[in-house]
Amino acid sequence: MAKNTNIRISLPAVCFVWQIAMIILFGVFIRYNEESDTRWIEHRRRKNISTNLENDFYYRYPSFQDVHVMIFVGFGFLMTFLKRYSFGGVGFNFLIAAFGIQWALLMQGWFHYLDENYGKIKIGVENLINADFCVAGCLIAYGACLGKVSPVQLMVLTLFGVTLFAVEEYIILELLHAKDPGGSMVIHTFGAYYGLTISWVLYRPMLSQSRHLQGSVYHSDVFAMIGTLFLWMYWPSFNSAIADHGAVINTYLALAASVLTTFAISSISQKHGKLDMVHIQNATLAGGVAMGTASEFMITPYGSLIVGFCSGIISTFGYLFLTPFMEKTLKIQDTCGIHNLHAMPGVIGGIAGAITAASASVSVYGQEGLINTFNFKEAVANRTVNIQGGYQAAGLFVAIAFGLVGGALVGGILKLPIWGDPADANCFDDEVYWEVPEDEDENILSRHPNMNHTRGMPDAYQRSHV
Amino acid sequence: MAKNTNIRISLPAVCFVWQIAMIILFGVFIRYNEESDTRWIEHRRRKNISTNLENDFYYRYPSFQDVHVMIFVGFGFLMTFLKRYSFGGVGFNFLIAAFGIQWALLMQGWFHYLDENYGKIKIGVENLINADFCVAGCLIAYGACLGKVSPVQLMVLTLFGVTLFAVEEYIILELLHAKDPGGSMVIHTFGAYYGLTISWVLYRPMLSQSRHLQGSVYHSDVFAMIGTLFLWMYWPSFNSAIADHGAVINTYLALAASVLTTFAISSISQKHGKLDMVHIQNATLAGGVAMGTASEFMITPYGSLIVGFCSGIISTFGYLFLTPFMEKTLKIQDTCGIHNLHAMPGVIGGIAGAITAASASVSVYGQEGLINTFNFKEAVANRTVNIQGGYQAAGLFVAIAFGLVGGALVGGILKLPIWGDPADANCFDDEVYWEVPEDEDENILSRHPNMNHTRGMPDAYQRSHV
Amino acid sequence: MAKNTNIRISLPAVCFVWQIAMIILFGVFIRYNEESDTRWIEHRRRKNISTNLENDFYYRYPSFQDVHVMIFVGFGFLMTFLKRYSFGGVGFNFLIAAFGIQWALLMQGWFHYLDENYGKIKIGVENLINADFCVAGCLIAYGACLGKVSPVQLMVLTLFGVTLFAVEEYIILELLHAKDPGGSMVIHTFGAYYGLTISWVLYRPMLSQSRHLQGSVYHSDVFAMIGTLFLWMYWPSFNSAIADHGAVINTYLALAASVLTTFAISSISQKHGKLDMVHIQNATLAGGVAMGTASEFMITPYGSLIVGFCSGIISTFGYLFLTPFMEKTLKIQDTCGIHNLHAMPGVIGGIAGAITAASASVSVYGQEGLINTFNFKEAVANRTVNIQGGYQAAGLFVAIAFGLVGGALVGGILKLPIWGDPADANCFDDEVYWEVPEDEDENILSRHPNMNHTRGMPDAYQRSHV
């Protein structure tokens, strides 16, 4: 019983209407900030800034570009591992990220960057970084749904995902004054529970009908490694893009430790000690996720190694045991295993952040360093590190709650039979939404024009079969 | 009737002679500038520069590297989409870019960086960026000719292309004092018309003989997405590498809007709403091309979205209707569709730049900002924004004229029967110029050594066919 | 006679034990340096540093990230060219680099960054760059052994490789006061002779049994080009990451010249002038290797072109003639041809560095420039450029000696029959250490569920064969 997967009206309609809405809202609300404006040259002199280098654009721009690569190439290629869903993996990632960053500039702008007097959101490079962060949450959620939803559903998932993100981010960072520069809680925990809950609502009992497409082929696994490596290499930039310097070292070390424990657990779990590409592509990144909250705390270099050590192990065990358990028992189908890569390491990161904050001291951080790191100023000038630890933990619960409740609501919306999602037998197949070129095989056959063949199946096969 | 495609003499000869010429010309003309010289340390103290960071190398270097990635990985992988021309796509792109940057340092140096007293060209990081820009024009032209020309022809195309570029750039930027930091006119419009005219002169009436190779396979489309994404992500660096800060935001927004309208038009144009990878790989970039001239103007964030919105639509329509029309009626065979990605968006960018310049005002730009943005100093100190708009438009015509006339001349040279270009039946085939390894198929078969097989065609096929 | 390649105990054991050792050693020895510490804010005020930009993290970080990409994506993908060893190429590269950078932080720390009073190694971004450099030596050595060793052997190779590297680096840079910012001697020459000697000790007389897997397929060659291009583009960052500014220009030019001469020799060596992907993937990089020592000297732009010109030629000739000769006569099996890409260009680089140093003069470098470039301070304040040239040459011999002796020792250790290396007939095959997914072919067949097939071999083949 084939579903109607024709999106010829719905996808263009959503793209056009929402993009026009963006143009109107940007026209009303978005302006350049001082550092992006042509008036910078006057602003600079007025403020006695001696050099253009003080402009955030030079200070933050390289980190922004690293994060940007993670969002589009990192997440995009990580999702090309399926044998026949590489177009959808990298292509829909591209679409929803391109929409999401625009909507995020508005949503985060309203909550955080609104110029009260002027009524406008003034944007600069920091906004671009934050928009990428916001979109990351939705891309994580996409990972749970990969291959099972239509691009229209993904646009809806992103619209609500960005909105929810902006609210929970505001609560966690502004109201609770929790710190989360690399987003263990705000990005990873929220995004993962959001996606998992959606996937749970959209449970497909007959998904085994497309099980033959739910795996990789040799070259699709190599493509996915492009995503893995760009995520892995640039993660120190992700966790330090809007943070202080130590964040780079901590993230770098946690990631390195994750690699070794991932290889270890992957090998030990197979009869002949053979490694599984699924683990290498994903669990090696767990250290970066888990270091998202504590990245700029004085967690110490060996503390970072320990965090990476543990999260690599837990994440790989997740792929081995939890994903099958969740699918069978909890009815949660998690295509990319985001529970193992984002949910668990994200929660670890949130807890590690709370503990590290609670045990901070002037002797380790320095007087100014402590104030600067936890931003103990203004409303929270008198907060102690213990209380900060409590607020960090509270932030983690907010992130989880937003993921669960938001995911349930959005999942309900996405369950409506109007979005053009594929039938169970057609999941993980690019043929549904893409013009797929002829196969590799024909490529070879086509050099022998005296052979007849039909699309996707060489003639010789069919004949010899008759 | 096979053509002689043996380039065993011609290619090495061209490579050696031209490289030796480069060495001699560099010996005579090229020196380090102050910031690259070991004397920098003295220069710095003499000029009271407080920090090494003032050295352009730190200020511009990250942007340079982003542009560099666009030239070699971006353009290179974008051209790997053909099923059997990926070696030629990425490999010849590599060759001509490596030659072109050397020749560009000389040509642009003579026109712009010549130290009058000293008679030398002094190079630093800005020259490296400009050389990459210059080469981009030739790589765009290569896109129209992809698969139909020999590497020797490409070297000739690049030699003349860089020369023409340096002259038109000098006229547009130095004589007309037009602004074009991201090169909508100077790079994209010129490069596209240059390539299209060459392709028109080299028209191949029997090209349909190799039509079976003029498409993609599944994995070659994924490879091409590597090129697309690196171009898309780093385009803000391209348009701001030698410009001011707002350029990043404007380009970023135009690109995001292009993605949504490209997906919309691609979907709406197919019976079942299926997306076409050709559009996603190319038209999503149109916003970046179209923002090349106005990138550092105060075009406003929503203005940038509108530019991207329109250019995504126009570019995708180009792939749908104009490319077939041009091939059939105008006899222009445009392999990569550069007319849609570079010519039309480039012209839009030039026009958008002229309009934005003409409507600039002190109230929006600030007094100093206006002077700084349009460089209203020295010879053009009294120029008004209206006149600037006129000169911008004039610049666009110069770019088109250089493309058309230059392309006709170079096309004529490339038509000579001495360059080893492939026969119509052998176009788009790496076998002509590359040692191509055995096929994927054999790879599988080779593990079954008891099977006989011949290169490129498994034995089983042949037998069952007899 | 199948060997036991089960690494289910040994690989996890090595990964776990060594990672735990890292945690302990980091706990005892590694701390943040001033610029990574939260106390930076106080440190900065105390030292009257006006801006955060003076913090090395902003100054060096973009270069660090470029080098990081070279190590993980560059080296990793360069080694994906084999038809069935792409997982091992990019995956084991990932594993040993992730371990190596940790061990390098310790080893290089003890020799160079130990705070005498405090007894700790204080790390910042410069340490991260140097750790990447150190690991590069081991990854080069891996190139010679690619496909023929187990991951456990690679871990051992890395443990000793990093140790040897730290010692020879200390001797060359600290005791001899030789300059080698891009590591022609320290990294490339050492790494190559280390790997070649190991490969010589591990000579496999019956390796021809797996000859059918010792080649590429079409798409694996395209994957390898990702590695080539990221190495090529970022090499200027590699050679300048801890050096001065001219290093970028010199490396950039040498690389460009290498490309042209590589294409020339590759074409001239084949009957029909066809190009060989092996040359394009590797020899184009020779200019970067050869510019590693002299990169910040005043070698002049045309001098850089000459260095690139020669090393491209020599490297390509190496692939054509030396690699077969070495395998047949010297019994050195060099999978990636590191002798051609690293050993010979590395030695050229060392010699070029010695000559350029010996011919340096105040008139060219400036008084301060000369002192600054060669660091003629303290113990070597009175050294002349001629003597410096001699010490440069001595450094080259130290690098070669460490490679040869170290490789012989480590080769001997790796020859022990306990490491789980593959039999001669199973080399270059990912099946030995990886869970390899079903083949591309089945992918196609799987859409036709009425066909029976077995893993890796379509049914139709087998039947038509019977």
Side-chain angles (χ1 to χ4, degrees):
Chain A
M1 193 174 43
K3 280 189 170 186
N4 180 10
T5 59
N6 192 326
I7 51 169
R8 194 180 177 185
I9 304 302
S10 54
L11 182 62
V14 164
C15 288
F16 272 129
V17 173
W18 294 8
Q19 185 60 57
I20 290 168
M22 289 300 117
I23 292 174
I24 295 168
L25 290 169
F26 270 60
V28 177
F29 288 105
I30 305 267
R31 296 294 177 272
Y32 304 113
N33 74 2
E34 285 76 19
E35 309 201 316
S36 319
D37 198 287
T38 51
R39 289 168 184 276
W40 160 254
I41 195 167
E42 290 166 24
H43 178 80
R44 176 184 149 182
R45 210 191 28 234
R46 214 162 45 237
K47 296 236 176 165
N48 256 322
I49 298 170
S50 67
T51 151
N52 266 322
L53 289 161
E54 289 287 331
N55 189 311
D56 242 20
F57 254 95
Y58 295 97
Y59 189 82
R60 295 291 185 193
Y61 189 70
S63 295
F64 159 64
Q65 275 297 2
D66 293 351
V67 174
H68 216 41
V69 171
M70 291 174 73
I71 297 298
F72 289 88
V73 162
F75 281 104
F77 272 85
L78 191 61
M79 291 197 269
T80 59
F81 73 100
L82 288 171
K83 68 178 77 165
R84 279 281 141 169
Y85 210 73
S86 302
F87 290 7
V90 69
F92 295 151
N93 183 83
F94 191 18
L95 172 66
I96 64 179
F99 165 67
I101 51 178
Q102 298 179 55
W103 182 226
L105 286 173
L106 284 163
M107 281 302 305
Q108 295 181 312
W110 285 319
F111 277 106
H112 193 91
Y113 295 97
L114 200 64
D115 184 318
E116 297 287 326
N117 305 319
Y118 185 52
K120 305 292 182 197
I121 301 160
K122 296 190 157 183
I123 62 172
V125 74
E126 193 178 305
N127 302 69
L128 306 188
I129 295 171
N130 278 315
D132 273 350
F133 280 179
C134 180
V135 161
C138 296
L139 301 181
I140 291 164
Y142 178 28
C145 308
L146 184 72
K148 302 175 297 184
V149 291
S150 76
V152 184
Q153 285 177 305
L154 287 172
M155 291 292 283
V156 175
L157 179 155
T158 305
L159 179 75
F160 287 103
V162 167
T163 311
L164 290 161
F165 183 98
V167 178
E168 59 114 30
E169 185 190 41
Y170 177 73
I171 295 172
I172 296 173
L173 302 188
E174 310 272 308
L175 300 187
L176 301 180
H177 282 274
K179 297 286 285 183
D180 198 14
S184 290
M185 306 183 288
V186 171
I187 300 168
H188 297 285
T189 305
F190 163 73
Y193 285 107
Y194 180 58
L196 290 167
T197 313
I198 290 173
S199 197
W200 174 73
V201 176
L202 299 181
Y203 180 69
R204 291 168 172 272
M206 305 294 284
L207 191 61
S208 61
Q209 290 178 354
S210 55
R211 186 69 69 191
H212 61 291
L213 289 175
Q214 204 183 351
S216 61
V217 288
Y218 195 71
H219 282 159
S220 71
D221 269 329
V222 183
F223 277 119
M225 282 302 290
I226 298 173
T228 300
L229 289 175
F230 275 101
L231 287 170
W232 194 90
M233 297 180 303
Y234 286 152
W235 215 295
S237 302
F238 192 91
N239 284 357
S240 72
I242 53 168
D244 279 340
H245 328 314
V248 166
I249 293 180
N250 293 326
T251 309
Y252 173 99
L253 292 174
L255 286 162
S258 284
V259 175
L260 270 83
T261 52
T262 299
F263 271 81
I265 301 295
S266 184
S267 175
I268 215 167
S269 68
Q270 290 287 336
K271 234 209 274 188
H272 295 284
K274 292 189 184 187
L275 298 158
D276 190 328
M277 261 291 176
V278 173
H279 308 153
I280 309 308
Q281 283 159 11
N282 293 283
T284 50
L285 301 167
V289 176
M291 194 47 75
T293 299
S295 67
E296 60 178 340
F297 299 166
M298 294 290 280
I299 192 167
T300 73
Y302 71 91
S304 304
L305 287 180
I306 292 171
V307 169
F309 188 92
C310 298
S311 40
I313 293 172
I314 290 168
S315 185
T316 313
F317 271 122
Y319 281 97
L320 286 164
F321 304 113
L322 266 182
T323 301
F325 168 80
M326 285 171 61
E327 178 153 1
K328 212 177 275 179
T329 314
L330 302 183
K331 309 293 181 203
I332 299 173
Q333 291 155 332
D334 178 6
T335 312
C336 293
I338 63 166
H339 185 262
N340 315 309
L341 176 49
H342 298 281
M344 290 193 298
V347 171
I348 293 173
I351 295 170
I355 295 172
T356 317
S359 56
S361 67
V362 171
S363 67
V364 173
Y365 286 70
Q367 185 65 44
E368 276 180 273
L370 193 71
I371 292 169
N372 187 54
T373 302
F374 295 101
N375 211 17
F376 285 157
K377 292 168 196 162
E378 296 158 22
V380 294
N382 297 319
R383 195 181 267 190
T384 66
V385 292
N386 282 317
I387 293 174
Q388 179 67 25
Y391 277 103
Q392 293 286 139
L396 183 60
F397 284 103
V398 173
I400 294 172
F402 263 80
L404 294 176
V405 176
L409 290 171
V410 175
I413 295 168
L414 295 181
K415 224 178 155 62
L416 297 175
I418 57 172
W419 305 114
D421 55 310
D424 290 357
N426 296 322
C427 286
F428 316 115
D429 193 348
D430 273 333
E431 293 272 6
V432 178
Y433 303 116
W434 297 87
E435 296 286 323
V436 176
E438 57 174 284
D439 293 306
E440 308 270 333
D441 248 32
E442 282 201 273
N443 166 18
I444 295 152
L445 292 169
S446 61
R447 300 204 214 147
H448 299 262
N450 60 325
M451 292 186 65
N452 298 316
H453 52 77
T454 55
R455 183 171 166 83
M457 172 52 55
D459 199 31
Y461 280 42
Q462 297 175 327
R463 283 211 210 156
S464 66
H465 208 74
V466 172
Chain B
M1 192 173 42
K3 281 189 169 188
N4 180 11
T5 58
N6 192 327
I7 50 170
R8 194 182 177 184
I9 304 303
S10 55
L11 182 62
V14 164
C15 288
F16 272 129
V17 173
W18 294 8
Q19 185 60 57
I20 291 168
M22 290 300 117
I23 293 173
I24 295 169
L25 289 169
F26 269 60
V28 177
F29 287 106
I30 304 268
R31 295 294 178 272
Y32 305 114
N33 74 3
E34 284 78 18
E35 310 202 315
S36 319
D37 199 288
T38 52
R39 289 168 184 276
W40 160 254
I41 195 167
E42 291 166 24
H43 177 80
R44 177 184 148 184
R45 210 194 28 234
R46 214 164 42 239
K47 296 234 177 167
N48 256 320
I49 297 170
S50 65
T51 152
N52 266 323
L53 290 160
E54 289 288 329
N55 189 310
D56 242 19
F57 252 95
Y58 295 98
Y59 189 82
R60 296 290 184 194
Y61 189 70
S63 295
F64 158 64
Q65 275 297 3
D66 293 352
V67 173
H68 216 43
V69 171
M70 292 175 73
I71 297 299
F72 289 88
V73 162
F75 280 104
F77 273 85
L78 191 61
M79 291 199 269
T80 59
F81 73 101
L82 288 171
K83 67 177 78 165
R84 280 281 140 170
Y85 210 74
S86 302
F87 290 7
V90 69
F92 296 151
N93 183 83
F94 192 18
L95 172 66
I96 63 178
F99 165 67
I101 52 178
Q102 298 179 56
W103 181 226
L105 286 174
L106 284 163
M107 280 302 304
Q108 294 181 313
W110 284 319
F111 276 108
H112 193 89
Y113 296 96
L114 200 64
D115 184 317
E116 296 288 325
N117 304 320
Y118 186 52
K120 304 291 181 198
I121 300 160
K122 296 190 156 183
I123 62 172
V125 74
E126 193 179 305
N127 302 68
L128 306 188
I129 295 170
N130 278 315
D132 274 349
F133 280 180
C134 180
V135 160
C138 297
L139 301 181
I140 291 164
Y142 177 28
C145 308
L146 185 72
K148 301 176 298 183
V149 291
S150 76
V152 184
Q153 285 177 306
L154 287 172
M155 291 292 282
V156 175
L157 179 154
T158 304
L159 179 76
F160 287 103
V162 167
T163 311
L164 289 161
F165 183 99
V167 178
E168 60 113 30
E169 184 190 41
Y170 177 74
I171 294 173
I172 295 173
L173 302 188
E174 309 273 310
L175 300 188
L176 301 180
H177 282 274
K179 299 285 285 183
D180 198 14
S184 290
M185 306 184 288
V186 170
I187 300 169
H188 297 285
T189 305
F190 162 73
Y193 285 107
Y194 180 59
L196 290 167
T197 313
I198 290 173
S199 197
W200 173 73
V201 176
L202 300 181
Y203 181 69
R204 291 169 173 271
M206 305 296 283
L207 191 61
S208 61
Q209 290 178 354
S210 54
R211 186 69 69 189
H212 60 291
L213 289 174
Q214 203 183 352
S216 61
V217 288
Y218 195 70
H219 282 159
S220 71
D221 268 329
V222 183
F223 277 120
M225 282 302 290
I226 298 172
T228 300
L229 289 175
F230 275 102
L231 287 170
W232 194 90
M233 296 180 304
Y234 286 153
W235 214 294
S237 302
F238 192 92
N239 284 355
S240 71
I242 53 168
D244 279 341
H245 328 314
V248 166
I249 293 180
N250 293 327
T251 309
Y252 173 97
L253 293 174
L255 286 162
S258 284
V259 174
L260 270 84
T261 52
T262 299
F263 271 81
I265 302 295
S266 184
S267 175
I268 215 167
S269 67
Q270 289 287 337
K271 233 209 275 190
H272 295 284
K274 291 189 184 187
L275 298 158
D276 190 328
M277 262 291 178
V278 173
H279 308 155
I280 309 309
Q281 283 159 10
N282 292 283
T284 51
L285 301 167
V289 175
M291 194 47 75
T293 299
S295 68
E296 60 178 340
F297 299 165
M298 294 289 280
I299 193 168
T300 74
Y302 71 92
S304 304
L305 287 179
I306 293 171
V307 168
F309 188 93
C310 298
S311 40
I313 293 173
I314 290 168
S315 185
T316 315
F317 271 122
Y319 280 96
L320 286 164
F321 304 113
L322 266 182
T323 300
F325 168 80
M326 283 170 63
E327 178 153 1
K328 211 177 275 178
T329 314
L330 301 183
K331 308 292 181 203
I332 299 173
Q333 291 155 333
D334 178 7
T335 312
C336 292
I338 62 166
H339 186 262
N340 315 309
L341 175 50
H342 297 281
M344 289 193 298
V347 170
I348 292 173
I351 295 170
I355 294 172
T356 318
S359 56
S361 67
V362 171
S363 66
V364 172
Y365 286 69
Q367 185 66 44
E368 275 180 275
L370 193 72
I371 291 168
N372 187 54
T373 301
F374 295 101
N375 212 15
F376 285 158
K377 291 168 196 161
E378 295 158 23
V380 295
N382 297 319
R383 196 181 267 190
T384 66
V385 292
N386 282 318
I387 292 173
Q388 179 66 27
Y391 277 102
Q392 294 286 139
L396 183 59
F397 284 104
V398 172
I400 295 173
F402 262 80
L404 294 176
V405 176
L409 289 172
V410 175
I413 295 168
L414 295 181
K415 224 179 156 60
L416 297 175
I418 56 172
W419 304 113
D421 55 310
D424 291 356
N426 296 323
C427 285
F428 316 117
D429 193 348
D430 273 334
E431 293 273 7
V432 178
Y433 302 116
W434 297 86
E435 295 287 321
V436 176
E438 58 173 283
D439 293 306
E440 308 269 332
D441 248 32
E442 281 201 273
N443 165 20
I444 295 153
L445 292 169
S446 60
R447 300 204 216 147
H448 300 262
N450 61 325
M451 291 186 65
N452 299 314
H453 52 79
T454 53
R455 183 171 166 84
M457 171 53 55
D459 198 31
Y461 280 40
Q462 298 175 326
R463 283 212 209 154
S464 67
H465 208 74
V466 172
Chain C
M1 193 172 43
K3 281 190 168 185
N4 180 10
T5 59
N6 192 328
I7 50 169
R8 194 181 176 184
I9 304 302
S10 54
L11 182 62
V14 164
C15 288
F16 272 128
V17 173
W18 294 8
Q19 184 61 58
I20 290 168
M22 289 300 117
I23 292 173
I24 296 168
L25 290 169
F26 269 61
V28 177
F29 287 106
I30 305 266
R31 294 294 177 271
Y32 305 114
N33 74 2
E34 285 77 19
E35 309 202 316
S36 318
D37 198 287
T38 52
R39 289 167 185 277
W40 160 254
I41 195 167
E42 292 166 23
H43 178 81
R44 178 183 148 183
R45 209 192 29 235
R46 214 165 43 237
K47 295 235 176 166
N48 256 321
I49 297 170
S50 66
T51 152
N52 266 323
L53 290 160
E54 289 288 330
N55 189 310
D56 242 20
F57 254 93
Y58 295 96
Y59 189 81
R60 295 290 185 194
Y61 189 70
S63 296
F64 158 64
Q65 275 297 2
D66 293 352
V67 173
H68 216 41
V69 171
M70 291 174 74
I71 297 298
F72 289 88
V73 162
F75 281 103
F77 273 85
L78 191 61
M79 291 198 269
T80 60
F81 73 100
L82 288 171
K83 68 177 78 164
R84 280 282 140 169
Y85 210 73
S86 302
F87 290 7
V90 69
F92 295 151
N93 183 83
F94 192 18
L95 173 65
I96 63 178
F99 165 67
I101 52 178
Q102 298 178 56
W103 181 227
L105 286 173
L106 284 164
M107 281 301 305
Q108 294 181 313
W110 285 318
F111 277 108
H112 193 91
Y113 296 96
L114 200 64
D115 184 319
E116 297 286 326
N117 305 319
Y118 186 53
K120 304 291 181 197
I121 300 160
K122 296 191 156 183
I123 62 171
V125 74
E126 193 179 304
N127 303 68
L128 306 188
I129 295 170
N130 278 315
D132 274 350
F133 281 178
C134 180
V135 161
C138 297
L139 301 181
I140 291 164
Y142 178 28
C145 309
L146 184 72
K148 301 175 298 184
V149 290
S150 77
V152 184
Q153 285 177 307
L154 287 172
M155 291 292 282
V156 175
L157 179 154
T158 305
L159 179 76
F160 287 104
V162 166
T163 311
L164 290 161
F165 182 98
V167 178
E168 59 113 31
E169 185 191 41
Y170 177 74
I171 295 172
I172 296 173
L173 303 187
E174 310 272 310
L175 300 187
L176 302 180
H177 282 273
K179 298 285 285 183
D180 197 14
S184 290
M185 306 183 288
V186 170
I187 300 168
H188 297 285
T189 304
F190 163 73
Y193 284 107
Y194 180 59
L196 290 167
T197 313
I198 290 173
S199 197
W200 173 73
V201 176
L202 300 180
Y203 180 70
R204 290 169 173 272
M206 305 296 283
L207 191 60
S208 61
Q209 290 177 354
S210 55
R211 186 69 70 191
H212 60 292
L213 288 175
Q214 203 183 352
S216 62
V217 288
Y218 195 71
H219 282 160
S220 70
D221 269 329
V222 183
F223 277 119
M225 281 303 291
I226 298 173
T228 300
L229 289 175
F230 275 101
L231 287 170
W232 194 90
M233 297 180 303
Y234 287 153
W235 215 294
S237 302
F238 192 91
N239 284 356
S240 72
I242 53 167
D244 280 340
H245 327 313
V248 166
I249 293 179
N250 293 327
T251 310
Y252 173 98
L253 292 174
L255 285 162
S258 284
V259 175
L260 270 84
T261 52
T262 299
F263 271 81
I265 302 295
S266 184
S267 174
I268 215 168
S269 67
Q270 290 287 337
K271 231 209 275 191
H272 295 285
K274 291 189 184 187
L275 298 158
D276 191 328
M277 261 292 178
V278 173
H279 308 155
I280 308 307
Q281 284 158 10
N282 293 283
T284 50
L285 301 166
V289 176
M291 194 47 74
T293 299
S295 67
E296 59 177 342
F297 299 165
M298 295 289 280
I299 193 168
T300 74
Y302 71 91
S304 305
L305 287 180
I306 292 171
V307 169
F309 188 92
C310 298
S311 40
I313 292 172
I314 291 168
S315 184
T316 314
F317 271 122
Y319 281 95
L320 286 164
F321 304 113
L322 267 182
T323 300
F325 167 80
M326 285 170 61
E327 179 154 1
K328 211 177 275 178
T329 314
L330 303 183
K331 309 293 182 204
I332 299 173
Q333 290 154 333
D334 178 7
T335 312
C336 293
I338 62 166
H339 186 263
N340 314 310
L341 175 50
H342 297 281
M344 289 193 298
V347 171
I348 292 174
I351 296 170
I355 295 172
T356 317
S359 56
S361 67
V362 170
S363 67
V364 172
Y365 286 69
Q367 185 66 42
E368 276 180 274
L370 194 70
I371 292 169
N372 187 53
T373 301
F374 295 101
N375 212 17
F376 285 157
K377 292 167 195 163
E378 295 158 24
V380 295
N382 297 319
R383 196 181 267 189
T384 66
V385 292
N386 281 318
I387 293 174
Q388 179 66 27
Y391 277 103
Q392 293 287 139
L396 183 60
F397 284 104
V398 172
I400 294 173
F402 263 80
L404 294 176
V405 176
L409 290 171
V410 175
I413 295 168
L414 295 181
K415 224 178 155 62
L416 298 175
I418 58 171
W419 304 114
D421 55 309
D424 292 356
N426 296 323
C427 285
F428 317 116
D429 193 348
D430 273 333
E431 293 272 5
V432 178
Y433 302 116
W434 297 86
E435 295 286 322
V436 176
E438 58 173 285
D439 293 305
E440 308 270 332
D441 248 32
E442 281 201 272
N443 166 20
I444 295 152
L445 291 170
S446 61
R447 300 204 215 147
H448 300 262
N450 60 325
M451 292 186 64
N452 298 315
H453 52 79
T454 55
R455 184 172 164 84
M457 172 53 56
D459 198 31
Y461 281 42
Q462 298 176 326
R463 283 212 208 154
S464 66
H465 209 74
V466 172

